[in-house]
Amino acid sequence: MQNKPMRLTPSLIVLLADGLLVFFGFITAVLIRDRILSIIAIPWRYVLTHAAIQLFIASLLWIWFRFHKRVIRLFHARDYIQLIIAVLLLHLIRLGLWYVFPKEFRMARSLWPISFFTTAFILVASRLFVSYLYQYYVQSNKSMYKKRLLIFGA
């Protein structure tokens, strides 16, 4: 058997993009919380470790909910609700893991609600944006190739 090179499929692109958005949502929540609540140096080593853990759990949930297999341009209300439930599950699991870490390695519990709302907003907004771009692209292609008809007389 030959090892086939890994191809970049649309489902893999969606999984990677969502992983990037989950990572961005968590980092945004850390920046929001630490810049609003206190003016201390951000412990980036801990933050990046927690972000990697969150990214791993999110990728497992995305595969379990099969978000990477769905067509984003055809997302419906039920899919958005499932997306928000998956983000809520992600943050509940992370909050449960809060008790596993040693005290000096724990992130503040006030970070998780902020992270939930920023991540959910970023993911839903990205899907709405892709749907809008697809609709705009389809409408612009339909109007581009219409033949114009000019009727003389009558």
Side-chain angles (χ1 to χ4, degrees):
M1 283 186 149
Q2 286 183 341
N3 289 338
K4 293 182 180 180
M6 190 170 181
R7 293 179 35 193
L8 199 60
T9 60
S11 62
L12 184 61
I13 292 172
V14 169
L15 186 63
L16 292 174
D18 283 346
L20 183 67
L21 292 174
V22 166
F23 179 79
F24 182 68
F26 179 73
I27 296 298
T28 303
V30 168
L31 292 175
I32 289 171
R33 185 196 165 276
D34 285 343
R35 294 298 173 219
I36 291 175
L37 296 179
S38 61
I39 306 175
I40 58 170
I42 298 173
W44 285 109
R45 189 179 82 185
Y46 297 138
V47 168
L48 292 177
T49 304
H50 280 277
I53 293 169
Q54 182 151 341
L55 191 57
F56 176 72
I57 295 170
S59 62
L60 291 178
L61 285 172
W62 259 237
I63 292 170
W64 186 49
F65 277 100
R66 300 182 61 83
F67 286 127
H68 65 292
K69 296 286 185 183
R70 297 181 188 173
V71 180
I72 293 179
R73 63 182 164 85
L74 301 177
F75 243 54
H76 298 290
R78 181 179 52 88
D79 298 323
Y80 287 109
I81 291 171
Q82 284 183 345
L83 182 69
I84 292 172
I85 288 171
V87 172
L88 181 64
L89 262 172
L90 168 68
H91 286 84
L92 289 176
I93 291 170
R94 290 292 292 134
L95 195 59
L97 287 177
W98 185 81
Y99 295 103
V100 174
F101 290 116
K103 285 190 177 186
E104 64 272 359
F105 193 67
R106 292 179 182 170
M107 301 290 287
R109 281 187 282 185
S110 62
L111 175 70
W112 302 115
I114 299 170
S115 177
F116 167 73
F117 287 112
T118 56
T119 304
F121 176 76
I122 288 171
L123 286 170
V124 169
S126 70
R127 278 166 168 67
L128 288 173
F129 182 68
V130 168
S131 295
Y132 170 74
L133 284 179
Y134 177 76
Q135 289 295 337
Y136 180 76
Y137 176 74
V138 166
Q139 287 177 356
S140 67
N141 275 349
K142 284 182 181 178
S143 65
M144 185 183 301
Y145 296 111
K146 282 186 178 178
K147 292 186 177 186
R148 301 191 185 250
L149 182 63
L150 183 62
I151 300 176
F152 287 102

